[in-house]
């Protein structure tokens, strides 16, 4: 995920995981990620959509390979 964020948003971007996935005992839940960049991005929704699509494809491919 970190590599996808760096490839998409630049190497100065950081990614944070939050939500239920931080609790090892919680079942299910989606993957809540927040990308932080040092400078404003215009339009931010476009970057968010690109990140979501690329990370989603990566996770889907990884899941298929484990089956």
């Amino acid at each position: 995920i970190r590599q996808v964020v760096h490839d998409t948003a630049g190497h100065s971007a950081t990614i944070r995981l939050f939500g239920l996935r931080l609790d090892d005992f919680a079942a299910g839940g989606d993957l809540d990620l927040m990308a932080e960049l040092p400078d404003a991005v215009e339009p931010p929704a476009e970057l968010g959509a690109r990140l979501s699509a690329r990370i989603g494809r990566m996770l889907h491919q990884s899941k298929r390979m484990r089956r």
Side-chain angles (χ1 to χ4, degrees):
I1 292 173
R2 186 177 296 126
Q3 187 63 49
V4 171
V5 171
H6 287 168
D7 291 347
T8 306
H11 288 281
S12 61
T14 58
I15 190 79
R16 299 191 188 280
L17 173 67
F18 65 96
L20 284 177
R21 291 291 178 111
L22 292 176
D23 183 352
D24 289 338
F25 298 103
D30 55 355
L31 191 60
D32 298 312
L33 299 170
M34 179 174 62
E36 295 179 312
L37 292 97
D39 300 310
V41 175
E42 291 298 329
E46 185 178 310
L47 177 60
R50 281 198 322 261
L51 285 169
S52 179
R54 290 177 181 170
I55 291 170
R57 280 194 302 268
M58 180 202 66
L59 293 174
H60 180 71
Q61 289 172 353
S62 174
K63 195 175 194 179
R64 285 184 22 203
M65 291 174 64
R66 285 186 274 154
R67 289 182 182 179

